[in-house]
Amino acid sequence: MAATEQLVYERPHSLSETPNSYCPGCTHGVAHHLIAEVLDEMNLRERTIGVAPVGCSVFAYNYFNMDFAEAAHGRAPAMATGLKRLQPGRIVFTYQGDGDLASIGMGEIVHAAGRGELITVIFINNANYGMTGGQMAPTTLPGQKTTSSPYGRDVETAGYPIRMAELLATLEGAAYVVRRSLHDPKNIRLAKKALHTAFEAQVRGLGFSMVELLSTCPTNWGLTPLEALKWLEQNMLPAFPLGDYKVSPSLAGTRP
Amino acid sequence: MPRELLKGNEAMAEAAIRVGLEAYFGYPITPQTEILEWMSRRMPELGRVFVQAESELGAVNMVYGAACTGARVMSSSSSPGVSLMMEGLSYIAGTELPVVLIDIMRGGPGLGNIAPSQGDYNQMVHGGGHGDYHPIVLAPATVQEAVDLTVEAFDLAEKYRNLVFVVADGNVGQIMEPAELPAMREVKRATPEWALTGAEGRERRFLSSIYIDPVYEEVTNKRLQERWLEIQQNEVRYREYYLEDADLVVIGFGTAGRIALTAVRAARAEGIRAGLLRPVALSPYPYAAIDELAKRASAFLVVEMNAGQMLEDVQRAVAGRVPVDFYGRMGGMVPFPDEILDEIRRVAREPRAQADPRVAWLKRLEKVLPH
């Protein structure tokens, strides 16, 4: 008697079958997967246009199975604005790292949120510039050694980390701004729920939405993947508290 | 359509709207702000897209995104703002998207001033952004021409999937004169086969200026260069005045060309056989027309509202066969017809071959500048 087959898992349709260029243990792959699962579950893949950044995820347009544009460094929210305004019936999201979003693209992200632009931003915070080899980012922690802060980030000369979720949550145009982390299964599940809510905010036209995802960079941190997860938990969580910084009252009860 | 008394900036904005502009993204800067203001009133009432961006950097990248949908889109700015847009313009060129940009040029370098200038010639014609790309650059001298070239700019941008700049000095943007606008057309809503619209029932598409494997970047560059050759074949535009028997050829574009025409007419009245060639497209440049003129004229005089940026293109076409002289005003100063007439008389009297006519020009300029 043939056993009854039950499908318990398959690759999300929103991901292409392209092998990615991420380092082993890096959480970009987890973030991509969560976004793809959420878009599949919300049946949005064919309606979605993504905007890739400059950084390690510069090739995100290859890894997602949907229409994509590739922005200049930091300009994804402006490019997404143009796409969304011309295609108001489509779902538009950007995928940006911390150098891209919180440094060179600070103007574009703040004003996209301020305008209440109907886009969803996935913000990968791994406390350094990954693609260029681990330089100091606006999110680098005080004392953290990077290739451009070899003595550790000196707050006297290089200032302090910028907390983007808290900053953007002050803007009235923002409907949903939260910070989640990808360092363990529980938090990964919470991150997926937040991504769902963020896209739901866009579907319902409530305003700008952003999910900041604390992420690891084992290669540039000089740690094994497991050590990197531990380092995130011990060092990044205190500096970047997880939480809901802005949730439009209209979103109450929308969590899956 | 009837002729109306129109301000250059507003006429260009309305012309773009009437030929189906779907979205405008811009940022205030004098002397082009009337374009932004006109769009802010007209686009929403027509149900079209208007966004005042946070900066020219934001504006050009919104245009970049909007152009990815295949829509008819544009921005406008003035010299310092256009400098800020150069990053996005290079990306748009690398992604091969049709985009129109109006530059109402002002005095520079730096913050400069808000007076009319032609100091963006090199920035607009010979690049500005990184990499090998060639925009089509159109330079109106009157409000009517500004209207007509704005209309044409969109067709050219879409025909070649190329950047088209309408480059006017502040005079053309600010002047009021009678002109005829095009009739209101329906928005075309074209969806080209490359446009990003959501992969509904089709394979995914992506638009990008990244070709990480240099071989494919070279393939793209080759395609851009071949397109540029085609544009050079088809899109040279210039106006000729009194050139049939001209011994002295004056060359100027935009407002400088218009003022030079007044001076050429005055010179003719004095019996000087002067004529004017006014490039209407600065890119592609009318090298062949100038080459022909160099075979029969005995001297050239280039007149610009800059320090001789186009002069170098004229010198290239003339290739040393006859003297090429120069007169320019800089920093937002506009020459009077009498100044150019004096220059025409001087060159007609004594055409002089000079390695760099700017050396003597700077000395002559001392007489008209305050001390």
Side-chain angles (χ1 to χ4, degrees), chain A residues 110-249:
Chain A
V110 169
H111 286 274
R115 286 191 304 270
E117 212 62 60
L118 292 176
I119 61 172
T120 299
V121 173
I122 289 90
F123 171 38
I124 304 297
N125 176 356
N126 61 10
N128 79 136
Y129 282 79
M131 187 177 70
T132 44
Q135 292 75 34
M136 181 178 68
T139 46
T140 293
L141 303 178
Q144 185 184 340
K145 287 184 180 176
T146 71
T147 63
S148 61
S149 56
Y151 309 112
R153 182 176 187 163
D154 177 0
V155 297
E156 291 297 323
T157 55
Y160 296 86
I162 296 175
R163 296 183 180 90
M164 288 306 300
E166 288 87 330
L167 191 157
L168 295 176
T170 64
L171 302 172
E172 286 174 55
Y176 184 70
V177 177
V178 302
R179 182 181 292 118
R180 298 290 185 266
S181 178
L182 300 176
H183 71 281
D184 65 21
K186 177 193 168 199
N187 280 286
I188 288 170
R189 278 200 293 276
L190 291 170
K192 182 175 171 183
K193 285 184 181 176
L195 290 167
H196 193 288
T197 310
F199 281 108
E200 181 68 22
Q202 182 177 169
V203 168
R204 291 167 56 180
L206 298 176
F208 172 90
S209 53
M210 183 179 87
V211 179
E212 176 174 342
L213 296 172
L214 301 185
S215 302
T216 63
C217 185
T219 299
N220 288 315
W221 292 355
L223 300 173
T224 67
L226 272 178
E227 288 168 349
L229 294 169
K230 189 65 74 186
W231 191 89
L232 186 165
E233 187 178 7
Q234 289 174 348
N235 297 283
M236 289 183 74
L237 290 186
F240 299 104
L242 305 183
D244 296 356
Y245 291 95
K246 182 78 178 282
V247 180
S248 161

Side-chain angles (χ1 to χ4, degrees), chain A residues 61 67-68 70 75 90, chain B residues 87 197 202 204-206:
Chain A
Y61 60 84
D67 277 11
F68 244 84
E70 167 62 49
R75 318 291 171 230
R90 296 309 192 199
Chain B
E87 176 197 70
T197 55
R202 60 159 171 79
R204 67 193 167 109
R205 297 173 182 159
F206 64 86

Side-chain angles (χ1 to χ4, degrees), chain B residues 152-334:
Chain B
E152 209 169 356
F154 289 100
D155 294 330
L156 290 171
E158 286 156 18
K159 179 177 178 188
Y160 295 106
R161 280 182 70 174
N162 210 78
L163 281 168
V164 180
F165 301 149
V166 180
V167 171
D169 48 74
N171 263 345
V172 176
Q174 294 295 324
I175 202 169
M176 288 188 80
E177 57 184 357
E180 185 183 347
L181 286 165
M184 193 76 171
R185 290 186 212 161
E186 291 287 309
V187 171
K188 184 158 51 92
R189 292 267 172 226
T191 308
E193 75 285 353
W194 46 262
L196 301 184
T197 55
E200 199 166 344
R202 60 159 171 79
E203 285 295 301
R204 67 193 167 109
R205 297 173 182 159
F206 64 86
L207 286 171
S208 160
S209 65
I210 188 172
Y211 297 90
I212 201 71
D213 184 339
V215 168
Y216 293 106
E217 184 67 77
E218 190 172 38
V219 167
T220 302
N221 269 273
K222 179 169 175 284
R223 186 168 63 245
L224 293 177
Q225 293 306 314
E226 285 165 351
R227 186 173 305 154
W228 171 234
L229 291 179
E230 191 188 341
I231 290 170
Q232 284 177 287
Q233 286 290 316
N234 300 337
E235 308 302 344
V236 171
R237 287 163 168 72
Y238 55 90
R239 291 285 303 272
E240 298 174 288
Y241 307 86
Y242 312 108
L243 283 175
E244 304 77 26
D245 63 342
D247 194 38
L248 195 170
V249 176
V250 181
I251 302 185
F253 69 96
T255 292
R258 190 171 174 174
I259 299 167
L261 180 58
T262 305
V264 163
R265 286 186 174 128
R268 282 269 165 183
E270 293 178 8
I272 299 171
R273 283 196 295 144
L276 173 73
L277 183 137
R278 180 167 66 80
V280 173
L282 303 179
S283 171
Y285 196 73
Y287 291 112
I290 295 172
D291 175 61
E292 282 303 314
L293 289 168
K295 292 172 185 166
R296 52 189 165 89
S298 58
F300 284 76
L301 171 66
V302 177
V303 179
E304 297 182 77
M305 284 148 57
N306 62 41
Q309 297 183 25
M310 183 182 71
L311 167 67
E312 295 177 9
D313 285 318
V314 175
Q315 286 171 324
R316 187 178 141 193
V318 174
R321 285 169 286 178
V322 291
V324 178
D325 217 314
F326 176 70
Y327 187 71
R329 298 301 303 267
M330 303 172 287
M333 294 298 289
V334 180

